[in-house]
């Protein structure tokens, strides 16, 4: 198992030696390596069993440091960066020559993000290189929102996990590409569309999150999935359909008295979508460990962070 702690100096020295470490962010934990070092980045793909066609996001500490990662940054991208970074936003930008093609899977664009977590920001400031980091889970599985989640799945493969507690947002960053001065959403995530629209002063019409979209090769229709089969629908009707199976329930706010307490999770008893996003991945992990055959679930209201929760539920059920 990996060592777990809050020792930034240890994290710095491992990263400088080309090792991988897990880092906390406000969205999910990341599996980080020196973004400039091919031989370190290649270890990320190996540890996650991640296909080489799925590009990595590069993490840094400030908008001022973007010039070491990207070039020709559109004004609208700067406007979004100023408004929302550090925060749960990733911008797809033209890559600078220093970023290896291994990081971007051969693309001439790069995903850039400033995570809003004090420990990881301190780490990034202590380094003289940015960090390439995907979510710290085996490819296709649910993203980790605690150091323990990372340790359970990747603990054998990495020396150190920087422990920043439970992720406060709990769902991955929203990914935006500015194309011809227009904002396109490549992944729904922890920054709500409504907040983005309020800053840019217009409605976002391009939401290109399908798996057929070549600009976001990692957005496969089956992703974020537990090992157990997930069935999405009306929970009452599903309970009747599957009355002979051992079922667990992942509901938005309602408790079901016919199902044992440890085999059901309410995402938010008060119907709060931010709380639902924060609880989603740990709920899926919990249910995955229960003695059940199926996880029955339902969509949440399709607004605010509910859109990202529904996106993940659909992929988990695919
Ligand atoms: O919140 C997050 O974004 C977390 C934390 C650790 O920062 N990271 C994360 O990384 O979710 P990952 O690798 O699990 O998901 C990144 C997604 C992938 O679907 C990938 O295809 C897309 O970002 N992506 C990365 N670079 C891209 C690029 N240049 N063009 C299009 N999509 C890109
Ligand atoms: Mg991921």
């Amino acid at each position: 198992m990996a060592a777990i702690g809050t020792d930034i100096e240890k994290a710095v020295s491992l990263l400088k030696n080309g090792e991988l470490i897990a880092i906390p962010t406000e969205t999910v934990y990341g599996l980080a390596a020196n973004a400039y070092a091919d031989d370190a980045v290649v270890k990320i793909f190996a540890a996650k069993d991640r296909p080489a066609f799925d590009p990595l996001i590069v993490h840094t500490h400030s908008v001022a440091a973007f010039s070491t990662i990207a070039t020709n940054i559109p004004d609208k991208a700067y406007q979004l960066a100023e408004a929302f970074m550090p925060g749960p936003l990733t911008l797809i930008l033209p890559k600078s020559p220093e970023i290896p093609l291994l990081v971007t899977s051969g693309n001439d664009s790069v995903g850039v993000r400033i995570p809003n977590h004090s420990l990881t920001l301190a780490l990034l400031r202590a380094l003289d290189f940015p960090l390439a980091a995907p979510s710290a889970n085996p490819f296709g599985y649910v993203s980790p929102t605690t150091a323990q989640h990372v340790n359970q799945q990747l603990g054998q493969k990495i020396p150190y996990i920087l422990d920043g507690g439970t992720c406060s947002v709990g769902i991955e960053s929203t990914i935006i590409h500015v194309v011809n001065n227009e904002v396109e959403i490549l992944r729904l995530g922890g920054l709500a569309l409504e907040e983005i629209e309020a800053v840019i002063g217009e409605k976002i019409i391009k939401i290109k999150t399908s798996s057929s979209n070549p600009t976001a090769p990692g957005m496969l229709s089956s992703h974020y999935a537990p090992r157990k089969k997930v069935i999405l629908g009306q929970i009452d009707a599903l309970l009747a359909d599957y009355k002979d199976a051992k079922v667990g329930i992942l509901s938005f706010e309602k408790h079901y008295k016919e199902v044992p307490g440890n085999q059901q999770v309410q995402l938010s008893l008060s119907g709060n979508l931010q709380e639902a996003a924060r609880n989603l991945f740990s709920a899926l992990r919990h249910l995955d460990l229960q003695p059940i055959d199926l996880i029955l679930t339902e969509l949440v209201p399709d607004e605010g962070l509910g859109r990202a929760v529904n996106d993940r539920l659909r992929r988990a059920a695919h």
Side-chain angles (χ1 to χ4, degrees), residues 262-301:
N262 61 340
Q263 292 172 20
Q264 61 178 304
V265 182
Q266 286 70 47
L267 287 174
S268 170
L269 288 170
S270 62
N272 178 301
L273 291 169
Q274 277 164 306
E275 186 179 27
R278 188 157 57 236
N279 289 333
L280 176 65
F281 290 145
S282 57
L284 284 169
R285 279 171 190 268
H286 169 80
L287 291 170
D288 222 5
L289 296 174
Q290 301 307 310
I292 54 176
D293 302 323
L294 301 168
I295 300 170
L296 308 182
T297 190
E298 62 185 352
L299 295 178
V300 304

Coordinates of all heavy atoms in Angstrom, one line a residue, residues 262-301:
N262 N -28.2 -0.3 4.7 CA -26.8 -0.2 4.1 C -26.8 -0.6 2.6 O -25.7 -0.5 2.0 CB -25.8 -1.1 4.9 CG -26.2 -2.6 4.8 OD1 -27.4 -2.9 4.6 ND2 -25.3 -3.5 5.1
Q263 N -27.9 -0.9 2.1 CA -28.0 -1.2 0.7 C -28.7 -0.1 -0.1 O -29.1 -0.3 -1.3 CB -28.7 -2.6 0.4 CG -27.8 -3.7 1.0 CD -28.4 -5.1 0.9 OE1 -29.4 -5.3 0.2 NE2 -27.9 -6.0 1.7
Q264 N -28.8 1.1 0.5 CA -29.4 2.2 -0.2 C -28.7 3.5 0.3 O -28.2 3.6 1.4 CB -30.9 2.3 0.0 CG -31.3 2.5 1.4 CD -32.8 2.7 1.5 OE1 -33.4 3.6 0.8 NE2 -33.5 1.9 2.3
V265 N -28.5 4.4 -0.7 CA -27.9 5.7 -0.4 C -28.8 6.8 -1.0 O -29.2 6.7 -2.1 CB -26.5 5.8 -1.0 CG1 -25.8 7.1 -0.6 CG2 -25.6 4.7 -0.5
Q266 N -29.0 7.8 -0.2 CA -29.7 9.0 -0.7 C -28.6 10.0 -1.0 O -27.7 10.3 -0.1 CB -30.7 9.6 0.4 CG -31.9 8.8 0.6 CD -31.7 7.4 1.2 OE1 -31.1 7.3 2.2 NE2 -32.3 6.4 0.6
L267 N -28.6 10.6 -2.2 CA -27.5 11.5 -2.5 C -27.6 12.8 -1.7 O -26.6 13.4 -1.4 CB -27.6 11.8 -4.0 CG -27.1 10.7 -4.9 CD1 -27.3 11.0 -6.4 CD2 -25.6 10.4 -4.7
S268 N -28.9 13.2 -1.5 CA -29.0 14.4 -0.6 C -30.4 14.4 0.0 O -31.4 14.5 -0.8 CB -28.8 15.7 -1.4 OG -29.2 16.8 -0.6
L269 N -30.5 14.2 1.3 CA -31.9 14.1 1.9 C -32.6 15.4 1.8 O -33.8 15.4 1.8 CB -31.7 13.7 3.4 CG -31.3 12.3 3.7 CD1 -30.9 12.1 5.2 CD2 -32.4 11.3 3.3
S270 N -31.9 16.5 1.6 CA -32.6 17.8 1.5 C -32.7 18.2 0.0 O -33.1 19.4 -0.3 CB -31.8 18.9 2.3 OG -30.5 19.0 1.7
G271 N -32.4 17.3 -0.9 CA -32.6 17.6 -2.3 C -31.6 18.7 -2.8 O -31.9 19.4 -3.8
N272 N -30.4 18.8 -2.2 CA -29.4 19.8 -2.6 C -28.4 19.1 -3.7 O -27.8 18.1 -3.5 CB -28.6 20.2 -1.4 CG -27.5 21.2 -1.7 OD1 -26.6 20.9 -2.5 ND2 -27.6 22.3 -1.1
L273 N -28.3 19.8 -4.8 CA -27.6 19.2 -6.0 C -26.1 19.2 -5.7 O -25.4 18.3 -6.2 CB -28.0 19.9 -7.3 CG -29.4 19.6 -7.7 CD1 -29.8 20.5 -8.9 CD2 -29.6 18.1 -8.1
Q274 N -25.6 20.2 -5.0 CA -24.2 20.2 -4.7 C -23.8 19.1 -3.8 O -22.8 18.4 -4.0 CB -23.8 21.6 -4.1 CG -23.5 22.6 -5.1 CD -23.5 24.0 -4.5 OE1 -24.5 24.4 -3.8 NE2 -22.5 24.7 -4.7
E275 N -24.7 18.8 -2.8 CA -24.4 17.7 -1.9 C -24.5 16.4 -2.7 O -23.7 15.5 -2.4 CB -25.5 17.7 -0.7 CG -25.2 16.7 0.3 CD -26.2 16.7 1.4 OE1 -27.4 17.1 1.3 OE2 -25.8 16.2 2.5
A276 N -25.4 16.3 -3.6 CA -25.6 15.1 -4.4 C -24.3 14.8 -5.2 O -23.8 13.7 -5.3 CB -26.8 15.2 -5.3
A277 N -23.7 15.9 -5.8 CA -22.5 15.7 -6.6 C -21.4 15.3 -5.7 O -20.6 14.4 -6.0 CB -22.1 17.1 -7.2
R278 N -21.3 15.9 -4.5 CA -20.2 15.5 -3.5 C -20.3 14.0 -3.1 O -19.3 13.4 -2.8 CB -20.3 16.4 -2.3 CG -19.2 16.3 -1.4 CD -19.1 17.6 -0.5 NE -20.3 17.9 0.2 CZ -21.0 19.1 0.1 NH1 -20.6 20.0 -0.7 NH2 -22.1 19.3 0.8
N279 N -21.5 13.5 -3.0 CA -21.7 12.1 -2.5 C -21.8 11.1 -3.5 O -21.7 9.9 -3.2 CB -23.1 12.1 -1.7 CG -23.0 12.8 -0.4 OD1 -21.9 13.0 0.2 ND2 -24.2 13.3 0.1
L280 N -21.9 11.5 -4.8 CA -22.1 10.5 -5.9 C -21.1 9.3 -5.9 O -21.5 8.2 -5.9 CB -22.2 11.2 -7.2 CG -22.4 10.3 -8.4 CD1 -23.7 9.6 -8.4 CD2 -22.3 11.1 -9.7
F281 N -19.8 9.7 -6.1 CA -18.8 8.6 -6.3 C -18.6 7.7 -5.1 O -18.5 6.5 -5.2 CB -17.5 9.2 -6.8 CG -17.6 9.8 -8.2 CD1 -16.9 10.9 -8.5 CD2 -18.4 9.2 -9.2 CE1 -16.9 11.4 -9.8 CE2 -18.4 9.7 -10.5 CZ -17.7 10.8 -10.8
S282 N -18.7 8.3 -3.9 CA -18.5 7.5 -2.7 C -19.8 6.6 -2.5 O -19.6 5.4 -2.1 CB -18.2 8.3 -1.4 OG -19.2 9.2 -1.2
A283 N -20.9 7.1 -2.9 CA -22.1 6.2 -2.9 C -22.0 5.0 -3.8 O -22.3 3.9 -3.4 CB -23.4 7.1 -3.2
L284 N -21.5 5.3 -5.0 CA -21.4 4.2 -6.0 C -20.4 3.1 -5.5 O -20.6 1.9 -5.6 CB -20.9 4.7 -7.4 CG -22.0 5.4 -8.2 CD1 -21.4 6.1 -9.4 CD2 -23.1 4.4 -8.7
R285 N -19.3 3.6 -4.9 CA -18.3 2.7 -4.3 C -18.9 1.9 -3.2 O -18.6 0.7 -3.0 CB -17.1 3.5 -3.8 CG -16.1 3.9 -4.8 CD -15.0 4.8 -4.3 NE -14.3 5.3 -5.4 CZ -13.1 4.8 -5.9 NH1 -12.6 3.7 -5.3 NH2 -12.5 5.3 -6.9
H286 N -19.6 2.6 -2.3 CA -20.3 1.9 -1.2 C -21.2 0.7 -1.7 O -21.1 -0.4 -1.2 CB -21.1 2.8 -0.3 CG -21.9 2.2 0.7 ND1 -21.4 1.7 1.9 CD2 -23.3 1.9 0.7 CE1 -22.4 1.1 2.6 NE2 -23.5 1.2 1.9
L287 N -22.0 1.1 -2.6 CA -23.0 0.1 -3.1 C -22.3 -1.0 -3.9 O -22.7 -2.2 -3.8 CB -24.0 0.8 -4.0 CG -25.0 1.7 -3.3 CD1 -25.9 2.5 -4.2 CD2 -25.9 0.9 -2.3
D288 N -21.2 -0.7 -4.5 CA -20.4 -1.7 -5.2 C -19.9 -2.8 -4.3 O -19.7 -4.0 -4.7 CB -19.2 -1.1 -5.9 CG -19.0 -1.6 -7.3 OD1 -19.8 -2.4 -7.8 OD2 -18.0 -1.2 -7.9
L289 N -19.8 -2.5 -3.0 CA -19.2 -3.5 -2.0 C -20.3 -4.2 -1.3 O -20.0 -5.1 -0.5 CB -18.4 -2.7 -1.0 CG -17.1 -2.1 -1.5 CD1 -16.4 -1.2 -0.4 CD2 -16.1 -3.1 -2.1
Q290 N -21.6 -3.9 -1.5 CA -22.7 -4.6 -0.8 C -23.0 -5.9 -1.5 O -22.8 -6.1 -2.7 CB -23.9 -3.7 -0.8 CG -23.7 -2.3 -0.1 CD -23.1 -2.5 1.3 OE1 -23.6 -3.3 2.1 NE2 -22.0 -1.8 1.5
P291 N -23.6 -6.8 -0.7 CA -24.0 -8.1 -1.3 C -25.3 -8.0 -2.1 O -26.4 -8.5 -1.7 CB -24.2 -9.0 0.0 CG -24.6 -8.0 1.0 CD -23.9 -6.7 0.7
I292 N -25.2 -7.3 -3.2 CA -26.4 -7.0 -4.1 C -26.0 -7.4 -5.5 O -24.8 -7.5 -5.8 CB -26.9 -5.6 -4.0 CG1 -25.7 -4.6 -4.3 CG2 -27.5 -5.3 -2.6 CD1 -26.1 -3.1 -4.4
D293 N -27.1 -7.6 -6.3 CA -26.8 -7.9 -7.7 C -26.9 -6.7 -8.6 O -26.2 -6.6 -9.7 CB -27.8 -8.9 -8.2 CG -27.8 -10.2 -7.4 OD1 -26.7 -10.6 -7.0 OD2 -28.9 -10.8 -7.2
L294 N -27.7 -5.7 -8.3 CA -28.0 -4.6 -9.1 C -28.1 -3.3 -8.3 O -28.4 -3.4 -7.1 CB -29.4 -4.8 -9.8 CG -29.7 -6.0 -10.6 CD1 -31.2 -6.1 -10.9 CD2 -28.9 -5.9 -11.9
I295 N -27.7 -2.2 -8.9 CA -27.9 -0.9 -8.3 C -29.0 -0.2 -9.1 O -28.9 0.1 -10.3 CB -26.6 -0.1 -8.3 CG1 -25.5 -0.8 -7.5 CG2 -26.9 1.3 -7.8 CD1 -24.1 -0.1 -7.7
L296 N -30.2 0.1 -8.5 CA -31.2 0.8 -9.1 C -31.1 2.3 -8.8 O -30.9 2.7 -7.7 CB -32.6 0.4 -8.6 CG -32.8 -1.2 -8.6 CD1 -34.2 -1.5 -8.1 CD2 -32.6 -1.7 -10.0
T297 N -31.2 3.1 -9.9 CA -31.0 4.6 -9.6 C -31.9 5.4 -10.5 O -32.6 4.9 -11.4 CB -29.5 5.0 -9.8 OG1 -29.3 6.3 -9.3 CG2 -29.0 4.9 -11.2
E298 N -31.9 6.7 -10.2 CA -32.8 7.6 -10.9 C -32.0 8.9 -11.2 O -31.0 9.2 -10.6 CB -34.0 8.0 -10.0 CG -33.5 8.7 -8.7 CD -34.7 8.9 -7.7 OE1 -35.9 8.7 -8.1 OE2 -34.4 9.3 -6.6
L299 N -32.5 9.7 -12.2 CA -31.9 11.0 -12.5 C -32.3 12.0 -11.4 O -33.3 11.8 -10.8 CB -32.3 11.5 -13.9 CG -31.9 10.6 -15.1 CD1 -32.4 11.2 -16.4 CD2 -30.3 10.5 -15.1
V300 N -31.5 13.0 -11.3 CA -31.8 14.1 -10.4 C -32.3 15.3 -11.2 O -32.2 15.2 -12.5 CB -30.5 14.5 -9.5 CG1 -30.0 13.3 -8.8 CG2 -29.4 15.1 -10.4
P301 N -32.8 16.4 -10.6 CA -33.2 17.5 -11.5 C -32.1 18.0 -12.4 O -30.9 18.1 -11.9 CB -33.6 18.6 -10.4 CG -34.0 17.8 -9.2 CD -33.1 16.6 -9.2

